[in-house]
């Protein structure tokens, strides 16, 4: 059983090595996106070379004795030196000792930056924290050093990048020094966690890092993870200790080698001195002898004096030779000692090699452990998750993607616009996981999106069938260079059950249903989830009402901070409880009501930076005009700070219950909450929603009271007859902007009465005739995948006629090079609906060309034959026969 103090220590280890190192790597990649190129810049390489083999540091040229010789103290005089003594003085001063600065990089780190075999690509993934900090301190762009330096813990108020890096470095050393004890008191844990969290968010404030931080704090440390973290900490500590020992030994070797070189230089200098002195002495002796011979002839009386002079010179020579020999003996003794010491160190190189081998072995064990963990994670991730709204589909695939990223170094690619995203971003040389949320629609199946996936299904199969080959290669005990790409898909249960959806094998051959008996939440899992949000006394009170509840995870999240009675009502009648709470907000707090409306209308996220004074005064675009208009509905003046602060407080209060905050952007916490809040708020502010809601919202969330009998369970905003004209005006406004989905894909088109009213309105409006004619002749460039529609260079051409034919409403009569007849033929093979046959008849009556080929070379008749629709084939063949008879 792990104690609280041990859990504290292991959690800090997990935070530092799993989250902090990743944040620092992301920060480093922003400064050095092309690390190999930066390392090979001559100036940068010279800087690192100096850290690996530091340049000599200057020492004194003259020492005290030499200085006193040149400038004697008071009372002494400078004696004239002979050529021999002058030579000695010069030689001693020039053979000064030279020392070097302390080495920063050792051999292993240098080989990491510049691998020995030759030029290879080096990335931040190859570097540890110590080496990353070293590069940030020494090669441009440099990170500013904090006031306390990189090696000390900076004060809490210092939030600079340099201070954040110093914190990570300091606590890395702290963890190594405390690894033997392996415990951490609660007070120290809270302080260290806070400082590390500050440093991590300061260096990398991405959503992924924020999610990793949250996960690190709440992650359950089971026995396997505790064992893994402990093993990792022990290995890191041993490697760190070995690296320090290698540095220490390397410095001693460098010092001894340098001393050997210096002693060798001294010996060579002394030999040179001796030769110079002997030559000088021989010259003086020869001169003296010549002088004696010459003077002996002239001065017999001075013979004795000359003899004495010669004898004296001989004695001086002998004395000098003895002194030199004695000095050489002493030097030789010193040299012998140093040679023995160097030989001993060289003989110990085997020990150094053994230490290095131990370090390499430990690193290999650590890599093996990581690979085993990766394999366990990779083998337990299903590709397709389905279930009802609120049951945890999105959370599961997002969590799986994060596991693949953190444990297996996969790159996460969110698929926003459909299979084209996969085609554009797929890289066979990278480990990638593609995430598709709520594929093919939420409330109803989106046929255009379904057809797009079908068009790309063969290409998708080719990309993702690599996964099957990879499994086969593992069974054959072979390893591929790059892991296969992954496709993680979530789908609502009613969409999955559609017959058209079932025909796409890519989505159905491997899936898991979160509502199935095998995968539904167990009692223990439900209790564990409840304990995340509620205290024990409330849980005991509601146990009986939580057994058969839909969207259980969502209700747990909504129950946070509620009373026992409120939680009981929420689980007993969730829809009634949520709607009642939203109505209470509408009636009691206009700031919170306004916050809900803003997050519904700005469904791609409401940024609270828009509420800053500068933004309010300078806004002149459509998005911010919406904001001011909506704020006026609630008597909120955005030019006044008090009003802005009250609105911000409304957002903050709803955070975690109905809203979620990501960075500075607020969104609705869940699609189900979005739908309920949208209907309730829209019923109170109908005019506002008709004018400013997105086109997709207009398409899906309104119903005319005059069209059909409306039930409470329909979850639609009901419009009275007086409001119908405003609604049609909004549709026309969208058409003028080339936005056609709100009109020709409208939910209410299923009702004949609505179609009649729409046709009547369009006929009344001259502007509508102009717009529709222009759209039908020029076409509309849009991307349509799922609920997204926007202008783009990569587009589909479509027209109102094509859209009407596609949906099968011939009385109003996404294609890629298809005519209306092609569109009807394609969608008829999925739905086999009678209205498509009527649409074909109407198009043929207007002389639609049956022989026209699309970009794939297919005619409508080819498509009808391929789908085996006898009615369509008969219609097209009769039309062809009629044309042939007319020609004859």
């Amino acid at each position: 059983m792990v104690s609280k103090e041990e859990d504290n220590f292991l959690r800090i280890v997990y935070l530092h090595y799993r989250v902090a190192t990743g944040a620092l790597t992301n920060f480093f990649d922003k400064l050095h996106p092309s690390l190999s190129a930066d390392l090979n810049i001559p100036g940068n390489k010279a800087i690192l070379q100096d850290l690996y083999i530091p340049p000599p540091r200057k020492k004194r040229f003259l020492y005290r004795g030499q200085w006193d010789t040149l400038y004697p103290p008071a009372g002494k005089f400078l004696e004239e030196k002979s050529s021999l003594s002058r030579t000695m003085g010069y030689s001693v001063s020039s053979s000064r000792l030279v020392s070097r600065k302390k080495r920063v990089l050792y051999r292993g780190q240098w080989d990491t930056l510049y691998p020995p075999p030759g030029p290879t690509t080096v990335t931040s993934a190859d570097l540890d924290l110590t080496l990353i900090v070293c590069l940030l301190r020494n090669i441009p762009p440099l990170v500013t050093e904090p006031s306390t330096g990189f090696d000390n813990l900076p004060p809490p108020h210092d939030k600079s990048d340099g201070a954040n890096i110093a914190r990570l470095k300091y606590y890395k050393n702290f963890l190594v020094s405390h690894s033997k004890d392996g415990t951490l008191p609660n007070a120290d844990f809270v302080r260290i966690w806070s400082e590390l969290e500050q440093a991590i968010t300061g260096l990398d404030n991405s959503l992924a890092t924020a999610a990793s931080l949250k996960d690190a704090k709440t992650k359950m440390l089971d026995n396997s993870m505790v064992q893994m973290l402990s093993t990792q900490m022990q290995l890191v500590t041993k490697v760190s200790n070995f690296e320090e020992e290698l540095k220490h030994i390397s410095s001693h070797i460098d010092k001894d080698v340098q001393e050997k070189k210096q002693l060798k230089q001294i010996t060579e200098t002394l030999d040179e001195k001796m030769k110079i002195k002997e030559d000088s002495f021989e010259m003086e002796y020869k001169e003296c002898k010549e002088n004696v011979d010459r003077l002996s002839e002239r001065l017999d009386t001075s013979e004795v004096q000359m003899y004495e002079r010669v004898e004296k010179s001989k004695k001086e020579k002998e004395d000098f030779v003895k002194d030199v020999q004695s000095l050489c003996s002493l030097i030789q003794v010193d040299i012998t000692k140093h040679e023995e010491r160097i030989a001993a160190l060289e003989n110990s190189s085997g020990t150094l090699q053994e230490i290095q081998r131990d370090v390499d072995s430990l690193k290999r064990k650590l890599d093996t452990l990581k690979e085993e963990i990766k394999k366990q994670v990779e083998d337990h991730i299903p590709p397709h998750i389905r279930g009802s709204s609120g049951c945890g589909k999105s959370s599961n695939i997002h969590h799986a993607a994060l596991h693949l990223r953190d444990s297996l170094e996969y790159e996460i690619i969110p698929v926003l616009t459909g299979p084209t995203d996969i085609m554009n971003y797929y890289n066979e040389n990278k480990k990638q996981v593609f995430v598709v949320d709520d594929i093919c629609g939420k409330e109803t199946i989106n046929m255009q999106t379904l057809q797009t996936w079908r068009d790309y299904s063969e290409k998708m199969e080719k990309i993702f069938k690599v996964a099957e080959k990879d499994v086969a290669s593992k069974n054959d005990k072979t390893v591929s260079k790059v892991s296969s790409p992954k496709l993680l898909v979530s789908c609502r249960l009613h969409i999955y059950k559609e017959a058209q959806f079932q025909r796409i094998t890519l989505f159905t051959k491997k899936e898991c249903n979160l509502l199935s008996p095998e995968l539904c939440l167990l009692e223990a899992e439900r209790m564990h989830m409840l304990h995340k949000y509620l205290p024990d006394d409330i849980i005991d009170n509601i146990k009986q009402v939580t057994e058969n509840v839909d969207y259980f995870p969502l209700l747990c999240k909504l129950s946070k901070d509620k009373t026992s009675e409120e939680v009981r009502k929420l689980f007993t009648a969730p829809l009634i409880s949520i709607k009642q709470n939203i109505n209470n907000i509408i009636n009691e707090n206009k700031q919170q009501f306004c916050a809900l409306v803003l997050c519904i209308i700005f469904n791609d996220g409401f940024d609270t930076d828009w509420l800053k004074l500068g933004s309010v005064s300078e806004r002149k675009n459509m998005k911010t005009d919406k904001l001011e208009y909506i704020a006026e509905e609630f008597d909120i003046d955005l030019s006044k700070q008090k009003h802005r602060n009250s609105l911000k407080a409304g957002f903050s209060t709803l955070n975690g219950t109905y809203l979620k905050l990501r960075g500075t952007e607020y969104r609705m916490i869940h699609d189900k909450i979005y739908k309920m809040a949208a209907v309730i708020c829209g019923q109170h502010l109908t005019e506002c929603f008709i004018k400013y809601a997105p086109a997709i919202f207009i398409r899906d969330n309104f119903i005319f009271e005059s069209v059909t009998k409306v039930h409470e369970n329909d979850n639609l905003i009901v419009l009275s007859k007086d409001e119908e004209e405003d609604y049609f005006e909004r549709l026309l406004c969208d058409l003028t902007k080339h936005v056609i989905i709100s009109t020709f894909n409208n939910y209410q088109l299923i009702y004949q009465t609505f179609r009649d009213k729409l046709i009547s309105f369009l006929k009344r409006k001259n502007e509508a005739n102009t717009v529709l004619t222009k759209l039908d002749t020029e076409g509309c460039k849009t991307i349509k995948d799922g609920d997204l529609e926007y202008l783009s260079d990569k587009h589909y051409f479509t027209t109102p006629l094509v859209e009407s034919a596609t949906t099968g409403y011939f009385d109003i009569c996404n294609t890629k090079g298809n005519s209306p007849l092609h569109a009807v033929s394609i969608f008829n093979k999925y739905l086999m609906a009678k209205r498509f046959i009527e649409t074909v008849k109407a198009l043929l009556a207007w002389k639609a060309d049956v022989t026209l080929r699309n970009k794939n070379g297919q005619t409508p008749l080819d498509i009808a034959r391929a789908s085996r629709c006898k009615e369509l084939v008969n219609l097209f063949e009769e039309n062809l026969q009629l044309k042939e008879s007319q020609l004859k």
Side-chain angles (χ1 to χ4, degrees):
M1 184 69 181
V2 178
S3 67
K4 177 62 177 174
E5 288 75 14
E6 290 173 333
D7 181 87
N8 290 342
F9 180 80
L10 291 175
R11 200 169 290 279
I12 290 294
V13 170
Y14 183 92
L15 176 67
H16 195 283
Y17 285 97
R18 291 297 181 88
V19 183
T21 303
L24 180 59
T25 301
N26 293 341
F27 175 82
F28 180 85
D29 287 342
K30 291 178 185 177
L31 297 182
H32 299 282
S34 181
L35 179 58
S36 288
D38 291 350
L39 290 175
N40 286 293
I41 294 173
N44 290 347
K45 190 167 184 179
I47 291 171
L48 297 176
Q49 184 74 30
D50 287 345
L51 298 178
Y52 178 52
I53 305 177
R57 184 168 56 196
K58 290 184 178 180
K59 285 284 187 177
R60 290 184 297 180
F61 282 80
L62 296 175
Y63 295 91
R64 181 60 181 267
Q66 294 171 316
W67 181 261
D68 289 346
T69 301
L70 295 173
Y71 299 95
K76 294 187 178 180
F77 61 94
L78 177 62
E79 296 180 351
E80 182 179 353
K81 292 186 177 182
S82 66
S83 60
L84 181 62
S85 62
R86 285 197 298 272
T87 304
M88 282 287 290
Y90 172 79
S91 299
V92 171
S93 65
S94 62
S95 62
R96 59 194 179 277
L97 292 175
V98 177
S99 66
R100 295 179 179 272
K101 291 190 293 185
K102 181 180 178 182
R103 178 186 291 194
V104 176
L105 293 175
Y106 62 92
R107 179 61 179 269
Q109 293 173 311
W110 179 262
D111 289 346
T112 299
L113 297 176
Y114 301 97
T120 57
T121 301
V122 179
T123 67
S124 59
D126 301 320
L127 314 180
D128 60 9
L129 184 143
T130 303
L131 197 48
I132 289 177
V133 174
C134 178
L135 294 180
L136 290 173
R137 293 175 63 175
N138 291 285
I139 65 173
L142 300 177
V143 176
T144 304
E145 184 174 7
S147 58
T148 55
F150 281 102
D151 298 320
N152 299 308
L153 183 64
H157 62 79
D158 190 352
K159 300 186 182 341
S160 64
D161 291 337
N164 289 332
I165 292 170
R167 287 186 183 95
L168 298 187
K169 185 173 183 292
Y170 176 87
Y171 282 116
K172 186 233 180 187
N173 297 332
F174 171 88
L175 290 174
V176 172
S177 64
H178 284 70
S179 61
K180 291 183 180 179
D181 183 29
T183 61
L184 194 65
N186 287 336
D188 291 344
F189 169 78
V190 172
R191 174 178 56 79
I192 294 172
W193 186 280
S194 175
E195 293 194 19
L196 283 176
E197 187 175 35
Q198 172 189 325
I200 291 167
T201 54
L203 291 172
D204 181 21
N205 62 352
S206 66
L207 295 178
T209 298
S212 296
L213 267 172
K214 184 177 179 182
D215 182 61
K217 199 162 190 177
T218 60
K219 193 175 192 70
M220 290 291 296
L221 298 180
D222 56 17
N223 291 334
S224 61
M225 185 167 293
V226 169
Q227 185 64 32
M228 181 194 71
L229 290 175
S230 300
T231 303
Q232 180 174 350
M233 193 64 235
Q234 292 171 6
L235 292 175
V236 169
T237 303
K238 288 183 180 179
V239 170
S240 178
N241 292 337
F242 278 130
E243 288 175 349
E244 288 298 323
E245 189 172 345
L246 282 173
K247 286 183 180 179
H248 184 68
I249 293 172
S250 296
S251 65
H252 278 288
I253 291 175
D254 289 344
K255 183 177 179 182
D256 288 334
V257 170
Q258 187 63 26
E259 288 179 358
K260 182 178 179 181
K261 289 181 180 178
Q262 291 168 355
L263 288 171
K264 185 177 180 182
Q265 184 180 1
I266 292 172
T267 304
E268 291 173 351
T269 303
L270 287 174
D271 289 339
E272 199 171 310
K273 289 177 187 177
M274 288 177 62
K275 185 177 179 181
I276 293 172
K277 291 179 187 297
E278 287 176 354
D279 292 342
S280 177
F281 182 84
E282 289 292 335
M283 188 179 294
E284 286 183 4
Y285 179 80
K286 186 176 180 181
E287 288 176 357
C288 290
K289 191 174 182 301
E290 288 175 354
N291 288 334
V292 168
D293 292 340
R294 187 170 56 252
L295 290 174
S296 64
E297 295 176 357
R298 295 171 60 187
L299 300 170
D300 291 339
T301 56
S302 61
E303 183 177 357
V304 174
Q305 295 176 356
M306 288 298 294
Y307 177 78
E308 290 176 352
R309 183 181 175 187
V310 171
E311 288 297 318
K312 183 179 179 182
S313 297
K314 287 181 178 180
K315 189 175 184 304
E316 286 178 353
K317 179 182 177 181
E318 290 173 355
D319 292 341
F320 176 77
V321 170
K322 289 180 181 178
D323 292 340
V324 171
Q325 289 175 346
S326 176
L327 180 60
C328 288
S329 298
L330 293 173
I331 292 173
Q332 187 60 45
V333 170
D334 288 340
I335 290 174
T336 302
K337 289 181 179 178
H338 283 287
E339 286 179 343
E340 290 175 352
R341 186 177 177 188
I342 291 170
L345 287 171
E346 289 174 347
N347 291 333
S348 68
S349 61
T351 303
L352 296 179
Q353 292 172 359
E354 290 176 4
I355 293 173
Q356 185 63 50
R357 283 197 297 270
D358 290 342
V359 171
D360 294 339
S361 176
L362 288 172
K363 288 182 177 179
R364 284 195 298 271
K365 288 180 180 178
L366 183 60
D367 292 339
T368 302
L369 181 61
K370 288 180 179 178
E371 288 301 323
E372 289 177 358
I373 295 171
K374 287 179 181 179
K375 186 177 183 303
Q376 291 176 4
V377 173
E378 189 171 16
D379 291 344
H380 290 84
I381 294 180
H384 188 109
I385 297 178
R386 59 188 173 97
S388 60
S389 176
C391 71
K393 304 183 304 301
S394 300
S395 297
N396 271 279
I397 64 170
H398 295 166
H399 186 68
L402 290 173
H403 263 295
L404 287 171
R405 184 199 66 186
D406 297 339
S407 301
L408 299 173
E409 300 178 350
Y410 271 72
E411 177 186 19
I412 298 176
I413 309 292
V415 178
L416 302 177
T417 63
T420 52
D421 278 353
I422 299 176
M423 301 303 299
N424 291 336
Y425 295 105
Y426 170 62
N427 186 336
E428 63 181 6
N429 296 320
K430 287 186 176 181
K431 294 192 286 186
Q432 295 175 311
V433 54
F434 296 91
V435 181
V436 190
D437 209 355
D438 284 324
I439 193 168
C440 293
K442 296 179 180 179
E443 303 301 327
T444 59
I445 190 168
N446 188 308
M447 297 304 301
Q448 287 88 351
T449 303
L450 182 69
Q451 176 59 25
T452 304
W453 281 102
R454 283 188 65 90
D455 291 343
Y456 282 92
S457 60
E458 290 186 8
K459 295 179 179 179
M460 294 296 103
E461 290 283 354
K462 288 180 181 178
I463 291 175
F464 295 107
K465 76 179 181 181
V466 178
E468 297 176 3
K469 290 183 178 179
D470 187 52
V471 172
S473 69
K474 289 179 182 177
N475 293 335
D476 296 336
K477 298 184 179 180
T478 60
V479 180
S480 57
K481 290 183 178 179
V482 179
S483 295
S484 60
K486 306 288 183 189
L487 178 63
L488 298 179
V489 176
S490 74
C491 178
R492 299 202 174 184
L493 193 58
H494 62 279
I495 300 290
Y496 181 84
K497 291 179 178 179
E498 292 279 357
Q500 310 92 292
F501 190 90
Q502 290 291 320
R503 293 192 181 101
I504 304 179
T505 57
L506 179 66
F507 298 152
T508 57
K509 64 181 178 182
K510 189 175 181 183
E511 53 83 27
C512 62
N513 181 3
L514 295 185
L515 302 181
S516 65
E518 296 81 9
L519 296 175
C520 66
L521 291 172
L522 302 175
E523 177 67 21
E525 292 171 330
R526 289 171 179 263
M527 288 299 104
H528 180 72
M529 200 174 292
L530 284 172
H531 280 289
K532 289 282 186 181
Y533 299 97
L534 298 172
D536 293 340
D537 57 334
I538 294 181
I539 294 174
D540 293 338
N541 190 32
I542 64 166
K543 274 184 180 179
Q544 295 77 10
V545 298
T546 62
E547 293 180 359
N548 298 310
V549 177
D550 290 333
Y551 40 91
F552 185 83
L554 175 61
L555 295 181
C556 287
K557 196 165 189 177
L558 293 176
S559 64
K560 186 178 181 181
D561 298 327
K562 292 187 181 297
T563 65
S564 178
E565 186 59 32
E566 289 172 335
V567 173
R568 189 175 185 84
K569 287 181 180 179
L570 179 63
F571 279 91
T572 304
L575 294 180
I576 296 174
S577 178
I578 294 171
K579 289 179 180 179
Q580 183 179 348
N581 286 337
I582 294 173
N583 280 314
N584 290 340
I585 292 173
I586 291 173
N587 295 327
E588 298 172 8
N589 193 306
K590 69 177 183 180
Q591 286 81 15
Q592 294 179 22
F593 183 16
C594 182
L596 283 177
V597 171
L598 289 173
C599 287
I600 294 167
I601 291 181
F602 293 93
N603 61 337
D604 55 347
F606 182 84
D607 193 339
T608 51
D609 285 345
W610 298 339
L611 298 178
K612 292 181 179 178
L613 183 59
S615 300
V616 173
S617 60
E618 297 170 6
R619 285 191 303 263
K620 293 295 178 186
N621 55 52
M622 177 65 180
K623 181 173 285 189
T624 49
D625 285 345
K626 280 188 193 180
L627 173 56
E628 289 186 345
Y629 176 86
I630 295 168
E632 288 175 2
E633 285 284 334
F634 297 91
D635 297 324
I636 296 175
D637 186 351
L638 295 180
S639 64
K640 295 180 179 179
Q641 182 177 358
K642 184 178 180 181
H643 287 203
R644 293 198 307 275
N645 289 342
S646 298
L647 182 54
K648 288 180 183 178
F651 278 102
S652 179
T653 302
L654 295 176
N655 184 31
T657 53
Y658 294 97
L659 305 181
K660 59 183 176 182
L661 178 62
R662 295 292 182 270
T664 58
E665 286 189 351
Y666 281 95
R667 299 172 187 265
M668 298 301 292
I669 198 168
H670 194 273
D671 291 340
K672 186 171 285 290
I673 302 299
Y674 177 90
K675 182 69 174 179
M676 282 189 279
V679 172
I680 297 171
C681 295
Q683 206 66 64
H684 284 78
L685 295 172
T686 308
E687 182 181 341
C688 173
F689 273 66
I690 290 174
K691 187 173 183 180
Y692 289 113
I696 295 169
F697 189 95
I698 297 295
R699 178 191 71 186
D700 295 335
N701 292 282
F702 289 91
I703 188 70
F704 285 1
E705 192 174 30
S706 61
V707 166
T708 184
K709 185 177 180 180
V710 180
H711 301 281
E712 185 179 354
N713 294 335
D714 289 341
N715 275 331
L716 295 168
I717 301 171
V718 181
L719 298 181
S720 64
K721 285 189 177 182
D722 295 337
E723 295 168 324
E724 291 177 359
E725 191 74 12
D726 291 339
Y727 186 80
F728 285 133
E729 288 289 350
R730 166 59 195 270
L731 299 185
L732 180 57
C733 178
D734 286 349
L735 290 174
T736 60
K737 299 174 184 176
H738 285 210
V739 177
I740 66 175
I741 58 168
S742 55
T743 303
F744 293 101
N745 299 103
N746 198 291
Y747 162 74
Q748 298 186 79
L749 287 174
I750 60 176
Y751 301 110
Q752 181 67 47
T753 306
F754 177 81
R755 298 202 300 273
D756 292 340
K757 288 189 175 188
L758 175 60
I759 293 169
S760 174
F761 171 80
L762 294 175
K763 286 181 178 178
R764 291 200 316 268
K765 295 288 182 177
N766 292 330
E767 183 183 2
N769 279 331
T770 304
V771 171
L772 291 173
T773 302
K774 186 176 181 180
L775 288 173
D776 266 329
T777 54
E778 297 180 2
C780 181
K781 300 178 182 180
T782 62
I783 282 181
K784 284 179 54 180
D785 275 300
D787 288 339
L788 296 175
E789 173 166 352
Y790 49 88
L791 297 181
S792 171
D793 291 335
K794 297 178 180 178
H795 53 262
Y796 301 151
F797 278 98
T798 187
T799 67
L801 180 60
V802 169
E803 291 301 310
S804 299
T806 300
T807 52
Y809 302 116
F810 70 93
D811 51 350
I812 302 181
C813 322
N814 166 10
T815 65
K816 297 166 278 186
N818 292 325
S819 70
L821 271 183
H822 285 100
V824 176
S825 301
I826 290 171
F827 279 90
N828 180 71
K829 72 179 181 181
Y830 298 137
L831 300 179
M832 300 295 183
K834 183 179 179 181
R835 69 170 186 265
F836 287 96
I837 303 298
E838 297 299 324
T839 302
V840 170
K841 290 179 179 178
L843 290 172
L844 292 176
W846 285 94
K847 299 184 179 180
D849 190 354
V850 179
T851 62
L852 185 66
R853 296 184 181 275
N854 62 13
K855 70 172 187 177
N856 296 324
Q858 296 175 303
T859 66
L861 180 56
D862 294 333
I863 297 173
R865 284 171 175 166
S867 64
R868 299 179 182 179
C869 179
K870 291 183 179 180
E871 285 186 90
L872 276 183
V873 172
N874 292 337
L875 281 174
F876 291 151
E877 289 179 344
E878 289 173 5
N879 182 267
L880 285 174
Q881 292 172 1
L882 179 63
K883 286 185 177 181
E884 289 175 359
S885 63
Q886 289 174 348
L887 289 173
K888 291 178 181 179

